[in-house]
Amino acid sequence: MAFTFDGADDSIVYSTSTDFLQVGDLSWFWQQFIPPSVKTSNLIMTMEGGTGEDEVENSVLFLDILGANNSWDIRYIHEFSTGTNEANTFLTNITNSTWVNLGLTRNITANTVKLWMDGSLIDTFNYTNDPAVGATTTVPLRIGLRGDGTFDGEHSIANIALWGSAIPDNVMLSLTKGFSPLFYPHGLILYDKLIRDSLDVIGGKVGAITGAAVMEQPSLIYPALSQVITGTAAVVSGRIMSSLARDGGLAGRGGIAGRGGGLAG
Amino acid sequence: MASGDTLLTFTPQANESPASNAATFDTRNSRVCLDFDADADEEAVFSGVMPQSYADTTGVTVILTMGSSTDQTSGTVAWELLFERIINDSTDLDADSFATSAAGNRFTQTAPGGASQPAIDSKTIAKGAVMDSVVAGDPFRLKIRRDADGTSQTDSMTGDAELYSIEIRET
């Protein structure tokens, strides 16, 4: 059951951590649902030191929803210097009340940010300046609401994941087709299904939830174990059958076809 | 195990994607598969423990169920089936130590006979070095690699090769 943000004060906040101070390569995956009534400029997520313009308050990753009714877009921002934005609006044209799988990668060597949706690359943003946050060493991860109470999110979200690397294009393409982030554990920092509660199954982080509305989200495909065909089972099975046949079982002395009173005995 | 008996099976969801050059997870009619590119070499890795019932008489037979994402019915796919034995107090877990690609663990699989159909084919891998000397009870990994650029075999099927299942049998 995904979490629904009411556009007022609902949020999920993960405590400050060095894990969220990602000024380098990163990747972010999430499932998103946007209702018809969504407000503009409402927050999906942010990792930032504060909401002012000092360098220590910069956002290393900020995503919100823009666009128009029934054609919603995703805006990407990171900041450098004294709060200067590198920003791009990805034209996702998300329709109302439809779940989509979204993925974003940032590569600071190539100076690119890519956004995928449901198995397709939406666009590549070529930026100039890498994120920078001055002396800050830890920041929180906030979903649905900025730290100062602005950018009130009005949408639903599930299955969030954060990697400290730009995962390969074909992998993100797979994930946005509906595969679990657990299929790519390399550099995976946080994975929280956000199903009724908030518990990161990778790093053990727990999000503090304000507001508790939930709704169903689409399923993902999860990893499976190999299947072992054991010889023991076959041997035991053979012994049982042998015993049954010998001592009163299916074809034995007292069984279905045996000599001692079985159905056909 | 007697010859021909199944030891292990793997489905695509058991793939431990390598950090780079990974085969791509995909679905076709809700069937999960791994797409191996036709131009760049890509890999999938599966971990298991060789069952105690493995007799190690002559080796194993690996059976692959493959499809073509673009419904090709001609050409071949060049596979490498590389075992890595995990040895107590020995194997460096920070490094890969798969068996060297050789004729004994390579094979070419012919494209499916008809559009939208699977091709199910097998490769016999002899015990010993070509299967990295895996024996009963050994943890191991199996890397499946499409040699798409045809370095050591002919890979001529265009489009992605879809891998649906892997079965390991006692030869």
Side-chain angles (χ1 to χ4, degrees):
Chain A
M1 304 296 275
F3 276 94
T4 297
F5 301 95
D6 64 358
D9 59 353
D10 286 357
S11 68
I12 299 174
V13 181
Y14 301 83
S15 300
T16 56
S17 169
T18 54
D19 287 341
F20 301 136
L21 193 74
Q22 297 292 331
V23 294
D25 292 351
L26 61 71
S27 302
W28 174 257
F29 172 88
W30 77 109
Q31 291 182 300
Q32 181 74 64
F33 176 97
I34 306 175
S37 57
V38 66
K39 296 182 294 187
T40 57
S41 298
N42 69 113
L43 184 71
I44 298 170
M45 61 80 71
T46 182
M47 299 188 294
E48 59 189 1
T51 55
E53 297 303 331
D54 292 341
E55 189 171 8
V56 294
E57 297 175 307
N58 280 353
S59 299
V60 297
L61 178 60
F62 181 105
L63 298 172
D64 67 349
I65 299 167
L66 298 179
N69 185 38
N70 216 31
S71 182
W72 304 107
D73 301 322
I74 305 295
R75 180 170 64 171
Y76 165 93
I77 298 174
H78 75 240
E79 294 178 302
F80 63 97
S81 188
T82 52
T84 306
N85 290 346
E86 286 279 9
N88 184 65
T89 300
F90 290 93
L91 303 178
T92 48
N93 299 318
I94 298 169
T95 55
N96 292 342
S97 306
T98 303
W99 279 100
V100 290
N101 300 317
L102 290 153
L104 175 144
T105 59
R106 179 173 71 208
N107 183 323
I108 66 164
T109 303
N111 282 21
T112 57
V113 176
K114 297 180 179 180
L115 186 87
W116 283 263
M117 183 171 78
D118 292 340
S120 297
L121 177 66
I122 297 297
D123 201 1
T124 300
F125 166 45
N126 297 290
Y127 68 85
T128 303
N129 299 285
D130 290 335
V133 289
T136 300
T137 56
T138 62
V139 296
L141 166 60
R142 296 178 184 275
I143 313 287
L145 187 69
R146 285 190 93 181
D148 63 358
T150 61
F151 284 71
D152 305 312
E154 188 176 2
H155 54 87
S156 302
I157 195 167
N159 280 301
I160 60 170
L162 173 69
W163 294 259
S165 61
I167 67 178
D169 290 1
N170 65 336
V171 173
M172 189 56 92
L173 186 145
S174 294
L175 299 184
T176 57
K177 283 183 175 179
F179 286 86
S180 164
L182 295 174
F183 280 111
Y184 196 80
H186 312 283
L188 185 57
I189 291 169
L190 173 144
Y191 173 44
D192 194 337
K193 297 175 185 176
L194 293 179
I195 299 176
R196 289 193 179 278
D197 58 14
S198 172
L199 178 61
D200 159 33
V201 298
I202 298 298
K205 298 178 176 64
V206 179
I209 301 166
T210 301
V214 295
M215 67 177 295
E216 293 181 355
Q217 87 279 17
S219 60
L220 293 176
I221 298 169
Y222 283 90
L225 301 174
S226 60
Q227 295 179 9
V228 181
I229 313 300
T230 67
T232 306
V235 170
V236 170
S237 176
R239 285 174 180 164
I240 290 172
M241 292 306 290
S242 174
S243 174
L244 284 170
R246 187 179 62 248
D247 297 326
L250 295 174
R253 289 191 290 270
I256 292 172
R259 294 195 297 268
L263 291 176
Chain B
M1 284 285 189
S3 175
D5 285 351
T6 301
L7 294 162
L8 285 160
T9 63
F10 297 108
T11 56
Q13 294 100 312
N15 173 30
E16 298 169 353
S17 289
S20 57
N21 305 317
T24 307
F25 287 99
D26 201 355
T27 57
R28 179 171 182 169
N29 187 28
S30 299
R31 305 173 201 272
V32 179
C33 60
L34 288 165
D35 289 348
F36 290 76
D37 196 87
D39 301 314
D41 295 357
E42 292 185 335
E43 302 170 344
V45 178
F46 303 86
S47 283
V49 177
M50 187 60 75
Q52 293 292 346
S53 54
Y54 171 53
D56 195 35
T57 305
T58 58
V60 297
T61 300
V62 179
I63 297 102
L64 303 184
T65 302
M66 178 190 78
S68 164
S69 66
T70 52
D71 289 340
Q72 299 300 313
T73 57
S74 63
T76 58
V77 173
W79 297 109
E80 295 175 345
L81 310 175
L82 308 177
F83 279 87
E84 178 193 56
R85 183 186 183 195
I86 311 297
I87 305 170
N88 182 36
D89 292 337
S90 176
T91 300
D92 180 355
L93 297 175
D94 291 327
D96 292 340
S97 54
F98 292 96
T100 304
S101 174
N105 50 31
R106 298 176 193 143
F107 90 112
T108 53
Q109 187 168 19
T110 302
S116 305
Q117 295 176 353
I120 303 176
D121 298 286
S122 64
K123 167 67 178 176
T124 299
I125 300 178
K127 62 186 268 188
V130 289
M131 62 177 288
D132 207 24
S133 301
V134 173
V135 296
D138 279 344
F140 73 93
R141 294 194 296 173
L142 172 63
K143 176 188 286 186
I144 297 188
R145 182 169 182 269
R146 182 179 182 182
D147 180 13
D149 59 7
T151 302
S152 54
Q153 304 172 94
T154 300
D155 186 296
S156 56
M157 191 181 87
T158 58
D160 288 348
E162 303 167 326
L163 182 63
Y164 286 91
S165 69
I166 303 152
E167 179 187 4
I168 301 177
R169 292 182 189 168
E170 183 93 42
T171 299

